Amino acid sequence: MPSPAHRRRATGRVTLADVAQAAGVSPITVSRALRGERAVAAELSDRVHAAAAALGYVPDSAARALASSRSSLVVVLIPKLSNTLFVELLDAVQNALVPAGYQTLIGITHYDAGKEEAALRSFLAHRPAGLIVTGSHRSPAATALIEGSGVPCVRVMEVGEEAGGYSVGFSQRDAGRAITQQLLDSGRRRIAYVAAQLDPRTLERGEGYEAALAHMGLADHVHKVLSAEPSSMALGCAMLERVLREAPDTDAIFFCNDDLAQGALLAALRLGIAVPERLAVAGFNDLPGSDQMVPPLTTVATPRREVGEQAAQMLMKLMRGEPVQTPHLDLGFRVVRRASA
Amino acid sequence: MPSPAHRRRATGRVTLADVAQAAGVSPITVSRALRGERAVAAELSDRVHAAAAALGYVPDSAARALASSRSSLVVVLIPKLSNTLFVELLDAVQNALVPAGYQTLIGITHYDAGKEEAALRSFLAHRPAGLIVTGSHRSPAATALIEGSGVPCVRVMEVGEEAGGYSVGFSQRDAGRAITQQLLDSGRRRIAYVAAQLDPRTLERGEGYEAALAHMGLADHVHKVLSAEPSSMALGCAMLERVLREAPDTDAIFFCNDDLAQGALLAALRLGIAVPERLAVAGFNDLPGSDQMVPPLTTVATPRREVGEQAAQMLMKLMRGEPVQTPHLDLGFRVVRRASA
DNA sequence: CTGAAAGCGCTTACAG
DNA sequence: CTGAAAGCGCTTACAG
């Protein structure tokens, strides 16, 4: 007997039950056949698939998530979409996850702890199967949300056992040190470090810069020029002018990101500042276009695509409950020497 | 009486019922208080909120979606993450949707009809509240999926009533025509159109280019150089060399995207080709960096952020069942004359 | 290999 | 303003 009409809430969608009826089997069999679970008799399975296709059945992932308490959603939290670095990271994550049947929910934190918490809170409601977050520095509340959720989580762009859990990245500090060393090796002694955005990774690169100078006995010549503004080519131009005005004897600049360095190279071109003769310029990340600059930009190639790919692979293992041999994966970096320094 | 132990499947999460018990009210009251629905007595509401906070309750959106047959997910389909254009569009969409309580599921179609269909199929299972898709050209199957789902959908980057529904964008054809006219106005007569990727919008810009030439009686001098490769600065460099080799009398090039034009400008600098004296260069989209080039790039500023913002606003109206006054919103474009042409 | 029953955690639709 | 009952569309955990 149907329940009274006023009790019904049918949504008009084609459901498992409809497919089952059309195929002449039970709903459970449809569920199993469509998920490819266990052995369902080939003949039944065929009938089910035919019926599903004929009816245009689309499974309801909310119902599935509720019943199975597991979903195919992976949350990815990155700071900004305006930094190509994160877009490429995201792209690599997607390329690994989508073919495996996962969907990604992307949250932009704008380098803001409060926004990260809000994003976490709103995304965790979807019971994601996994989580990828940027870096290791976050608020206690955000950390508590992640841990309390029990959802497997991989941190990217920094490696470190201190924060526990799982991480994929490289040492920002060592990379900052290596590119500074490159400038020192080419004879530069008045090296400025110019940074924008001032996120934790940018500051770590600055520590590497300081360490390289200190190692050469140049601790007195540490010259950091910092701006909290977001990184951009236009800002790179402005920062170049500022450095040369404030410290005219500067013979090299290490920019914390390639967009700044690209802007500075173009500004140098306009201003007639010879690079690298008068001023050496180095960047960080090897972003698109850096190899096209005039002169081509010396920089640090960072493995963000590999980071994204490996983080996704690691997360998939965790989501399947498989063991992870290397919970903290250091993918390294590479100094790319081109003509600008 | 509890059901037999072997029947239980509790997930260990804090549920509505737990909050209700802690607050000493019924689950429905908790549901209403937390959603801010109707008038719940202020005192009860306070007790509920306190209990929810104390227990760290996170609502289950799968259960909510199942029970209410409505979700807070919005699906956004874009072709590529490697084109800054789409990243900015996406960013604008997110900025509008997230504060309103929606979450976005992003699908990358790679300009592939099959991938678009697959993305649609997998995302529609989540019963999204709304859909934003790029352009109007898609497979019949994809169109059928969208229409069959009944989910409100806004198309972006092209405007047109032909395809019905809702759209926000501008005329790619008119924009292509306008920038070509700019080159003609500055006295150029041997103008090449260089395009990559060859998506529908790129081809429409090419039509505008042809129309402008034809209008000046220069139909015989239409010179299109097309590459199906993805757009990039390096490709712009290669295309510049190819054009000047194949048609040495070319005095202007209109590139379908600024990344190509930027690459060409840098190549010209390396090769000693005077821009704009020997060769005028125009781009499209006014991407970051175009104003920093040497010389600065003449281009068409396209309103992708406004497109994203307005599409999100329109979609929110549709999702709330409100009427939309202008179902096809043309946001125009602007020719930005700088030094390169 | 297949199925009937129960349950996932919410909200709807009534009733009071 | 508040609540008891039913149901959303699946899957789990058994049983056969």
Side-chain angles (χ1 to χ4, degrees), chain B residues 3-45:
Chain B
S3 50
H6 65 270
R7 279 296 183 189
R8 318 207 77 198
R9 275 194 277 156
T11 51
R13 286 186 135 222
V14 178
T15 70
L16 247 199
D18 298 327
V19 178
Q21 189 163 27
V25 297
S26 75
I28 308 88
T29 300
V30 175
S31 171
R32 289 203 270 250
L34 259 25
R35 278 177 300 141
E37 191 218 77
R38 290 217 203 151
V40 172
E43 191 241 343
L44 286 192
S45 180

Side-chain angles (χ1 to χ4, degrees), chain A residues 300-341:
Chain A
V300 178
T302 55
R304 62 267 185 188
R305 290 202 169 270
E306 292 80 350
V307 168
E309 157 81 24
Q310 292 302 318
Q313 298 297 350
M314 191 183 282
L315 186 62
M316 287 195 276
K317 279 192 182 159
L318 292 170
M319 293 187 295
R320 290 190 298 252
E322 294 171 16
V324 169
Q325 317 82 321
T326 314
H328 300 283
L329 187 58
D330 187 338
L331 260 21
F333 56 84
R334 195 164 45 83
V335 171
V336 179
R337 178 141 202 221
R338 291 198 277 244
S340 74

Side-chain angles (χ1 to χ4, degrees), chain A residues 3-335:
Chain A
S3 48
H6 63 271
R7 280 296 186 192
R8 318 208 75 197
R9 276 195 278 156
T11 52
R13 285 186 136 222
V14 177
T15 70
L16 246 199
D18 298 326
V19 177
Q21 189 165 27
V25 298
S26 75
I28 308 89
T29 300
V30 174
S31 171
R32 290 201 271 248
L34 259 25
R35 279 177 299 138
E37 189 218 78
R38 291 219 205 149
V40 172
E43 191 240 344
L44 286 193
S45 179
D46 290 349
R47 252 159 57 200
V48 167
H49 278 97
L55 295 175
Y57 172 66
V58 178
D60 184 318
S61 68
R64 176 174 286 177
L66 184 58
S68 67
S69 65
R70 114 182 58 243
S71 84
S72 55
L73 293 173
V74 170
V75 170
V76 182
L77 258 33
I78 57 175
K80 282 223 170 201
L81 244 18
S82 58
N83 190 340
T84 308
L85 179 78
F86 297 119
V87 175
E88 294 184 5
L89 174 69
L90 191 60
D91 200 36
V93 167
Q94 288 243 23
N95 288 344
L97 251 26
V98 169
Y102 293 99
Q103 286 113 354
T104 55
L105 270 172
I106 292 153
I108 314 297
T109 65
H110 297 278
Y111 291 106
D112 179 310
K115 286 191 177 145
E116 185 173 48
E117 273 174 53
L120 241 15
R121 219 177 292 274
S122 103
F123 286 145
L124 252 16
H126 290 281
R127 297 187 167 207
L131 214 51
I132 292 179
V133 300
T134 304
S136 306
H137 302 72
R138 67 196 79 254
S139 70
T143 304
L145 277 169
I146 294 174
E147 287 177 357
S149 74
V151 175
C153 177
V154 175
R155 293 178 279 114
V156 289
M157 294 316 289
E158 297 173 31
V159 244
E161 315 187 358
E162 318 80 50
Y166 301 87
S167 65
V168 180
F170 61 93
S171 168
Q172 302 278 345
R173 192 174 185 285
D174 290 355
R177 181 169 179 154
I179 185 76
T180 306
Q181 190 59 51
Q182 164 67 38
L183 293 171
L184 288 165
D185 289 348
S186 66
R188 310 291 165 159
R189 288 298 177 271
R190 293 296 176 272
I191 306 173
Y193 175 60
V194 174
Q197 192 60 63
L198 309 187
D199 61 286
R201 290 165 294 288
T202 286
L203 299 179
E204 285 172 31
R205 283 168 220 160
E207 289 172 20
Y209 154 82
E210 278 193 71
L213 289 197
H215 187 71
M216 289 284 281
L218 293 170
D220 287 352
H221 292 296
V222 164
H223 183 206
K224 292 188 179 183
V225 184
L226 309 177
S227 165
E229 278 183 61
S231 196
S232 73
M233 288 177 71
L235 183 62
C237 167
M239 297 292 264
L240 172 75
E241 293 178 343
R242 180 174 151 198
V243 168
L244 292 183
R245 192 172 57 241
E246 292 179 1
D249 65 338
T250 301
D251 61 10
I253 304 180
F254 162 28
F255 288 94
C256 76
N257 200 29
D258 270 12
D259 54 359
L260 293 172
Q262 290 178 11
L265 284 179
L266 291 168
L269 217 46
R270 275 194 299 274
L271 299 169
I273 300 168
V275 175
E277 296 76 9
R278 159 73 182 83
L279 182 76
V281 174
F284 200 94
N285 279 327
D286 196 19
L287 297 183
S290 287
D291 57 339
Q292 304 287 319
M293 287 294 126
V294 180
L297 180 65
T298 291
T299 186
V300 178
T302 55
R304 62 267 185 188
R305 290 202 169 270
E306 292 80 350
V307 168
E309 157 81 24
Q310 292 302 318
Q313 298 297 350
M314 191 183 282
L315 186 62
M316 287 195 276
K317 279 192 182 159
L318 292 170
M319 293 187 295
R320 290 190 298 252
E322 294 171 16
V324 169
Q325 317 82 321
T326 314
H328 300 283
L329 187 58
D330 187 338
L331 260 21
F333 56 84
R334 195 164 45 83
V335 171

Side-chain angles (χ1 to χ4, degrees), chain B residues 65-82:
Chain B
L66 185 58
S68 67
S69 65
R70 112 182 61 242
S71 84
S72 56
L73 293 173
V74 170
V75 171
V76 183
L77 259 33
I78 57 174
K80 281 223 170 197
L81 244 18
S82 58

Side-chain angles (χ1 to χ4, degrees), chain B residues 28-254:
Chain B
I28 308 88
T29 300
V30 175
S31 171
R32 289 203 270 250
L34 259 25
R35 278 177 300 141
E37 191 218 77
R38 290 217 203 151
V40 172
E43 191 241 343
L44 286 192
S45 180
D46 290 349
R47 254 162 51 202
V48 168
H49 279 97
L55 295 175
Y57 172 66
V58 178
D60 184 318
S61 68
R64 176 173 286 178
L66 185 58
S68 67
S69 65
R70 112 182 61 242
S71 84
S72 56
L73 293 173
V74 170
V75 171
V76 183
L77 259 33
I78 57 174
K80 281 223 170 197
L81 244 18
S82 58
N83 190 340
T84 309
L85 179 78
F86 297 119
V87 175
E88 294 183 5
L89 174 69
L90 191 59
D91 200 37
V93 167
Q94 289 243 23
N95 288 344
L97 252 25
V98 169
Y102 293 99
Q103 287 113 353
T104 55
L105 270 171
I106 291 152
I108 313 297
T109 65
H110 297 277
Y111 291 106
D112 179 311
K115 285 190 177 144
E116 185 173 48
E117 275 175 50
L120 242 14
R121 220 177 291 274
S122 102
F123 286 144
L124 253 13
H126 291 281
R127 298 184 168 210
L131 214 51
I132 291 179
V133 300
T134 304
S136 306
H137 301 73
R138 67 197 79 255
S139 70
T143 304
L145 278 169
I146 294 173
E147 289 179 356
S149 73
V151 175
C153 177
V154 175
R155 293 178 279 114
V156 290
M157 295 316 289
E158 297 172 31
V159 244
E161 316 187 357
E162 319 80 51
Y166 301 86
S167 65
V168 180
F170 60 93
S171 167
Q172 302 278 344
R173 191 174 186 284
D174 290 354
R177 181 168 179 156
I179 185 76
T180 306
Q181 190 60 51
Q182 164 66 38
L183 293 171
L184 288 165
D185 289 348
S186 66
R188 311 291 165 160
R189 289 299 178 270
R190 293 295 176 274
I191 306 172
Y193 175 60
V194 174
Q197 193 60 62
L198 309 187
D199 61 287
R201 289 165 295 288
T202 287
L203 299 177
E204 284 173 31
R205 284 168 219 159
E207 290 171 19
Y209 155 81
E210 277 193 72
L213 290 196
H215 187 71
M216 290 284 281
L218 293 170
D220 287 354
H221 292 296
V222 164
H223 183 204
K224 292 188 178 183
V225 183
L226 309 178
S227 165
E229 278 182 60
S231 197
S232 72
M233 287 177 71
L235 182 63
C237 168
M239 296 292 263
L240 172 75
E241 293 179 342
R242 181 173 150 199
V243 168
L244 293 183
R245 192 171 57 241
E246 293 179 0
D249 65 339
T250 301
D251 60 11
I253 304 181
F254 163 27

